[in-house]
RNA sequence: UGGGGAGUCGUCCAAUGGCAGGACGGCAGACUCUGGAUCUGCUUAUAGGGGUUCGAAUCCUCUCUCCCCAGCCA
């Protein structure tokens, strides 16, 4: 598409923006912002918002700011600020020099508050938090006016400056907008603008004793930055009248707030409260545990930024509550990795195989294709010898009907190597566990093709016992067992739904020798198993891999279906 | 029961008065030196009732269901 061609609207927000451009609203500018509160790590739900905001700026030749909504120092930390910046960058977006903080605007917010007091539109209220709640009324009953609502402009001004100066205790006084205590919209019942809060702010230190509330700070921040379209999630729909009220009363530049549905993902929790709980109680190893739906977790899990962006494009943007099947996310990462990562052979649960008729001291280097999807990735040599490992799952002494793999008397192909036939099974005398297989190979099938054209029904991956290296592999599964978003039914905590088998540790896996040089972050397909990446815990002495995603597994599906 | 929203395949998103379509999932098949990938086919939806119209997912109307709001959180 040509750069100047207007993009076709792909969702209702882009439709609105397209129309605003046509009608020359905001001088046809497009300026969005991504406004996280630095009180936790970003997750896949934020990725949706990031892709939306930065994506719209890109599509319409506009700009997108990164703005930290840091108005509550009791919950916010620099650690979160840094992680958020890293995650947005990793996703592939750039805010150039437009990094802002709501705390940049504290002084301006204060001055605007003074203006509202002068207009008789704000007042200092001495009600306690409990009293404010009582006066607010309920969903069905109107509230009543605060007894302090009628204070003079002078008294309000004096009190506000003394709030700022730190003369009053936390929670003792607030500055409130004077709107309508009987409004059906509870947000309009004289909402708090500033609260007394003596807390160390990660950027402004102890300079302020009062901090602005979201509703007041957000619209003014948007206005100050010249935002045109302020995109937020559905729960802020009720707040839009207040957003508009502040800006109208202040008489300043007025962006438009548009709400869209937040992302819900099956088998996942996406609430900051729950995620922080998992981190704090040790249910996961940290914010970047590969099972976490955080950007940091997804990254460590081996997802690519491209696959996450693609996912965000595919799920669309709309106003109805929805829960996306996590299978779509998994599809996106497989699709991407399939095309780009090298294949390699690794045996997760090794079963020893001795090729009886293969010479003791022979070592062959066989050619293996690095990526059948991309010939330009070339080939490599893998060593073959008399003693090998194959996957335990690839052998059944008593094979069920649809099991095509190795069994006594059966011939299969070892990928890129030879046809082998199982001629003996050695078991542990006490446990009856199969510990070793004796096989013969057909020398004429070198490379994996038989000159006589006979077929085998299975191709197995393998490694040479003497040449392979040991590795630790971490297998991950969904953190949450249930698909639905409303995990909390009567009397149940979401933690009851945690999958007890979300992590399986395999410490004695065998990988082909070429993988010895794998560096953290490196991604591979272990043939027939899935996509794996090297974990940061990995060292040259001890390689550690994370399973990013399994391959689609028809056999597993058949087996699972049978059990039912 | 106040205010604000939303109802389309199992799931997500389209269709903006004119043949309800795509993706994921599922099922079947083709192909395959990965039971992978790829390809093909199938599957299934307009919450309900009235109305307007030649024609309604779309407009009107009544009903039903679901979500959000009573923080000095965002």
């Amino acid at each position: 598409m040509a750069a100047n061609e207007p993009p076709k609207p792909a969702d209702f927000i882009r439709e609105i923006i397209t129309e605003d451009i046509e009608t020359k609203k905001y001088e046809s500018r497009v300026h969005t912002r991504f406004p996280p509160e630095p009180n936790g790590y970003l997750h896949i739900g934020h990725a949706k918002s990031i892709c939306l905001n930065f994506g719209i700026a890109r599509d319409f030749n506009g700009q997108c700011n990164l703005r930290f909504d840091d108005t509550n120092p009791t919950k916010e930390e620099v650690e979160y600020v840094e992680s958020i910046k890293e995650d947005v960058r990793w996703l592939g977006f750039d805010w150039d020099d437009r990094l802002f903080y709501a705390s940049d605007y504290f002084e301006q917010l204060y001055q605007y508050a003074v203006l509202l007091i002068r207009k008789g539109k704000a007042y200092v209220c001495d009600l306690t938090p409990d009293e404010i709640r009582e006066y607010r009324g309920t969903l069905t009953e109107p509230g009543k006016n605060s007894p302090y609502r009628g204070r003079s402009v002078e008294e309000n001004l004096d009190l506000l400056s003394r709030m700022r100066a730190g003369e009053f205790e936390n929670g003792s006084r607030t500055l409130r907008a004077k709107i309508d205590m009987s409004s059906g919209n509870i947000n309009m019942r004289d909402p708090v603008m500033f609260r007394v809060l003596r807390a160390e702010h990660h950027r402004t230190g102890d300079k302020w004793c009062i901090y602005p509330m979201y509703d007041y700070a957000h619209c003014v921040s948007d206005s100050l930055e010249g935002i045109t379209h302020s995109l937020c999630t559905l729960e802020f729909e009720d707040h839009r009248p207040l957003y508009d009220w502040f800006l109208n009363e202040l008489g300043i530049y007025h962006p438009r707030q548009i709400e869209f549905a937040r992302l819900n993902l099956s088998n996942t929790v996406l609430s900051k409260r729950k995620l922080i709980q998992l981190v704090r109680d040790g249910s996961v190893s940290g914010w970047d545990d590969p099972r976490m739906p955080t950007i940091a977790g997804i990254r460590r899990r081996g997802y690519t930024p491209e696959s996450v962006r693609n996912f965000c494009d595919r799920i669309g943007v709309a106003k109805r509550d929805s829960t996306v099947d996590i299978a779509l996310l998994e599809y996106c990462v497989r699709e991407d990795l399939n095309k780009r990562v090298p294949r390699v052979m690794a045996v997760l649960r090794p079963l020893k195989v001795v090729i009886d008729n293969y010479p003791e001291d022979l070592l062959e280097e066989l050619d293996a294709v690095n990526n059948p999807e991309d010939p330009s990735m070339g080939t490599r040599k893998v060593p073959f010898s008399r003693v090998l490992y194959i996957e335990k799952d690839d052998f059944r002494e008593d094979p069920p009907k649809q099991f095509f793999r190795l069994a006594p008397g059966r011939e299969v192909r070892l990928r890129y190597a030879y046809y082998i036939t199982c001629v003996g099974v050695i078991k542990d005398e006490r446990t009856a566990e199969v510990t070793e297989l004796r096989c013969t190979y057909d020398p004429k099938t070198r490379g994996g093709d038989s000159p006589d054209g006979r077929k085998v029904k299975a191709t197995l991956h393998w490694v040479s016992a003497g040449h392979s290296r040991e590795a630790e592999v971490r297998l991950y599964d969904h953190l949450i067992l249930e698909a639905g978003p409303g995990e909390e039914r009567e009397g149940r905590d979401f933690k009851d739904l945690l999958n007890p088998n979300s992590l399986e540790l395999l410490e004695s896996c065998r990988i082909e020798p070429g993988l010895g040089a794998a560096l953290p972050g490196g991604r591979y397909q272990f043939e027939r198993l899935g996509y794996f990446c090297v974990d940061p815990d990995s060292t040259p002495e001890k390689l550690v891999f994370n399973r990013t995603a399994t391959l689609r597994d028809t056999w597993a599906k058949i087996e699972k279906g049978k059990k039912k």
Side-chain angles (χ1 to χ4, degrees), chain A residues 69 71 109 187-188 191-193 212-221 236 238-240 242-244 246-247 257:
Chain A
D69 222 331
T71 56
L109 256 355
N187 295 301
M188 301 299 271
V192 172
M193 295 169 61
M213 298 290 290
Y214 166 85
D215 285 304
Y216 178 53
H218 202 88
C219 58
V220 171
S221 302
F236 291 102
D238 286 353
H239 295 241
R240 186 171 3 111
L242 184 50
Y243 184 103
D244 292 336
F246 279 125
L247 265 17
Q257 173 177 305

Side-chain angles (χ1 to χ4, degrees), chain A residues 188-391:
Chain A
M188 301 299 271
R189 319 238 263 228
D190 289 11
V192 172
M193 295 169 61
F194 270 105
R195 73 278 211 183
V196 176
L197 183 57
R198 314 207 52 163
E200 178 90 3
H201 186 281
H202 66 100
R203 294 190 74 241
T204 59
D206 58 3
K207 182 176 176 198
W208 290 89
C209 301
I210 56 174
Y211 290 92
M213 298 290 290
Y214 166 85
D215 285 304
Y216 178 53
H218 202 88
C219 58
V220 171
S221 302
D222 282 346
S223 176
L224 260 18
E225 292 176 17
I227 299 304
T228 56
H229 302 269
S230 180
L231 315 181
C232 62
T233 45
L234 255 26
E235 66 269 28
F236 291 102
E237 220 149 13
D238 286 353
H239 295 241
R240 186 171 3 111
L242 184 50
Y243 184 103
D244 292 336
W245 187 90
F246 279 125
L247 265 17
N248 284 148
E249 292 299 335
L250 255 14
I252 57 179
Y253 169 77
H254 198 146
R256 171 168 179 186
Q257 173 177 305
I258 302 171
E259 310 84 14
F260 63 94
R262 69 186 319 142
L263 172 67
N264 294 297
L265 242 200
S266 70
N267 302 281
T268 309
V269 286
L270 286 183
S271 94
K272 276 195 190 172
R273 199 200 93 233
K274 289 175 189 170
L275 293 178
I276 207 165
Q277 193 183 333
L278 293 175
V279 171
R280 291 201 172 142
D281 70 17
S283 299
V284 296
S285 66
W287 286 102
D288 69 343
D289 186 300
R291 291 167 292 179
M292 289 283 274
T294 51
I295 305 294
I298 285 169
R299 175 169 58 230
R300 186 167 177 183
R301 178 78 170 257
Y303 275 70
T304 57
E306 290 83 356
S307 64
V308 175
R309 275 188 258 130
N310 188 241
F311 170 75
C312 290
D313 286 344
R314 282 169 182 259
I315 58 176
V317 180
K319 290 199 70 153
R320 85 179 74 123
D321 293 308
S322 60
T323 299
V324 175
D325 192 333
I326 196 164
L328 181 61
L329 216 211
E330 293 165 351
Y331 171 84
C332 288
V333 75
R334 285 191 193 107
E335 181 191 42
D336 190 29
L337 262 19
N338 176 48
K339 283 179 290 197
R340 59 202 282 184
V341 306
R343 272 61 173 169
V344 101
M345 290 199 282
V347 175
L348 265 30
R349 299 172 181 88
L351 173 60
K352 188 176 173 187
V353 172
V354 177
I355 312 293
D356 286 336
N357 58 339
Y358 194 86
E360 292 277 353
D361 49 3
L362 184 57
L363 164 67
E364 291 186 88
E365 296 279 336
L366 301 169
D367 289 309
V369 174
N370 286 332
N371 188 345
E373 302 291 320
D374 181 2
S376 76
M377 290 176 74
T379 62
R380 69 187 185 284
K381 300 281 189 189
V382 285
F384 185 88
S385 66
R386 185 175 137 94
V387 183
L388 311 166
Y389 290 119
I390 65 165
E391 207 69 57

Side-chain angles (χ1 to χ4, degrees), chain A residues 76 231 269 275 282 297 329 405 422 426 504:
Chain A
E76 297 152 6
L231 315 181
V269 286
L275 293 178
L329 216 211
R405 283 111 95 144
C422 178
I426 297 171
E504 187 178 357

